[in-house]
Amino acid sequence: MNLGPLQCREIELVVKITKHCNLRCSYCYEYPHLANKNIMSIENITRLLCHLNQFAVDEPGSAEDGFSFIWHGGEPFMVPLEHYEEIGRLQRTILGPLNYQNFVQTNLTILTERHIEWIRSGRFFAHMGVGFSFDVYGDQRRDLRGRATSSKIMGNLQLLLDNKIRASGITVLSSSTRPHLRNIFHFFDNLGLDFRLLPYHLETNPMQTSTNGVAPNDIAAAMCELFDLWCQSEDPITISPLNDYTEDAISFINNRKNFYYNKAVNEHIFIIDTNGDLCGHETYMSEHRYGNLFEQPLGDILRSETRRRLVTKAARRMEQYCANCEFFGACSGFPVAEASPMEEQWLSRDGCYVAKILSHIVGRLTNAGLGLLPGTAQSGDKFVAM
């Protein structure tokens, strides 16, 4: 398998600046590590940035739009703001003219007036706003004493909105939140806030899955229901991954099958653990670690034997599950290529649930006379009106 230079516009780096967290969410894949108070040191972050800069110099065409740093945890706001200020200084010094942006993904339980002023200033985090995790319904997000945190999160979300700070959410689709999907949609839709519906798909122990797990057919049904709700909105928000599925469905309707995901060159989302270990898209198993960005240049890590092995496995999965799928090429195969270990089990048992979602969306669009683009062979006078 040839691990050629990356061919992506931007490299997204999900940086686990700390594992320390003030919550104990029942489905958290970091659950065993949430009491660990270690923070990425300035010395290690300096090494990280130097290795990224070296990569940009050695392989200038690999990420034309530079780097996005998503500061993650644990809870990233348990790290003092002064630490981020020093990181910002290092970025300006080491990365210099390279393009880069900083974002944060928080549980929104820590938000002081200083945080508000600091976010609004744009001194570190981009003006794109704050990403927050909130399930709206259910009791999964509890503090160290087992107390629900919804009221605190709601209050802090109102603070963001009152201060004209953009925000977008992540809601976990679990057995507890699935019955409330309609209300979850209306919560975000009424506020005009984009959100991501993230199916539970990683576990640290089987008990988590028995409590929170959702079957692939339930995930497909939830996404289909969400699409129908979204179509009824007067001012539709962006819902991930539903917006990607809709684009794939429109490509299929217009017989545009020309993009096939190749992990070797298209991979662009990487997780950097607190100890510097780097792995691929939402993979947290030790045997999936590509290398260590505190110790190695990114280019060397991307050419590692571990990554070569995982790239080969991804290609084989796509050959097995995507090659004969009617949507392949409109759908790039990314969900299969980047399947977590739990999702691999689903594939072998139930097939790809994304195909069921695409079939639903295609049916809804074609029945409504929507989805055909101008200039296509069958389009006539019809066009997308989403």
Side-chain angles (χ1 to χ4, degrees), residues 88-136:
R89 186 190 66 79
L90 287 171
Q91 288 175 327
R92 292 189 294 274
T93 301
I94 297 171
L95 300 181
L98 294 177
N99 292 322
Y100 63 88
Q101 296 186 91
N102 293 296
F103 303 92
V104 66
Q105 184 65 42
T106 172
N107 62 33
L108 209 55
T109 59
I110 300 172
L111 194 69
T112 65
E113 289 185 8
R114 184 160 179 248
H115 284 94
I116 291 288
E117 185 276 329
W118 200 69
I119 294 167
R120 290 187 66 183
S121 73
R123 289 201 302 267
F124 185 78
F125 294 122
H127 293 284
M128 297 284 290
V130 171
F132 66 95
S133 303
F134 183 37
D135 294 333
V136 186

Side-chain angles (χ1 to χ4, degrees), residues 307-323:
R307 183 166 183 265
R308 186 183 304 276
R309 173 174 55 82
L310 293 174
V311 165
T312 300
K313 284 186 64 176
R316 289 173 178 167
R317 273 199 304 276
M318 290 178 65
E319 182 177 357
Q320 180 176 359
Y321 297 108
C322 299

Side-chain angles (χ1 to χ4, degrees), residues 291-302:
N292 189 289
L293 200 52
F294 296 163
E295 302 170 358
Q296 303 166 269
L298 180 58
D300 291 351
I301 293 173
L302 295 179

Side-chain angles (χ1 to χ4, degrees), residues 238-256:
T238 297
I239 305 174
S240 179
L242 202 59
N243 51 312
D244 295 325
Y245 296 154
T246 303
E247 289 179 5
D248 293 347
I250 291 171
S251 293
F252 175 81
I253 292 170
N254 290 276
N255 199 30
R256 295 183 176 179

Side-chain angles (χ1 to χ4, degrees), residues 325-365:
C325 176
E326 63 176 326
F327 298 111
F328 191 39
C331 169
S332 69
F334 176 88
V336 169
E338 298 294 356
S340 71
M342 184 182 295
E343 289 168 327
E344 286 188 66
Q345 295 178 10
W346 295 345
L347 283 167
S348 63
R349 188 184 67 220
D350 303 303
C352 180
Y353 70 78
V354 173
K356 299 172 184 176
I357 301 169
L358 294 180
S359 180
H360 176 85
I361 296 174
V362 167
R364 285 285 193 264
L365 292 177

Side-chain angles (χ1 to χ4, degrees), residues 267-284:
E267 187 173 23
H268 63 284
I269 303 173
F270 302 97
I271 289 84
I272 307 173
D273 212 342
T274 311
N275 65 357
D277 285 345
L278 184 143
C279 57
H281 179 65
E282 294 188 332
T283 304
Y284 295 89

Side-chain angles (χ1 to χ4, degrees), residues 12 42 57-58 70 101 117 129 133 140 148 159 164 194 198 247 251 255 300 303 305 324 360:
E12 297 181 26
I42 291 299
V57 171
D58 293 343
I70 298 94
Q101 296 186 91
E117 185 276 329
S133 303
Q140 299 90 337
L159 275 176
K164 305 294 190 294
D194 301 337
L198 176 63
E247 289 179 5
S251 293
N255 199 30
D300 291 351
R303 290 185 288 271
E305 285 305 312
N324 295 320
H360 176 85

Side-chain angles (χ1 to χ4, degrees), residues 18 20-22 73-79 105-108 110:
T18 184
H20 193 205
C21 190
N22 58 340
E75 171 45 45
F77 279 157
M78 296 191 79
V79 175
Q105 184 65 42
T106 172
N107 62 33
L108 209 55
I110 300 172

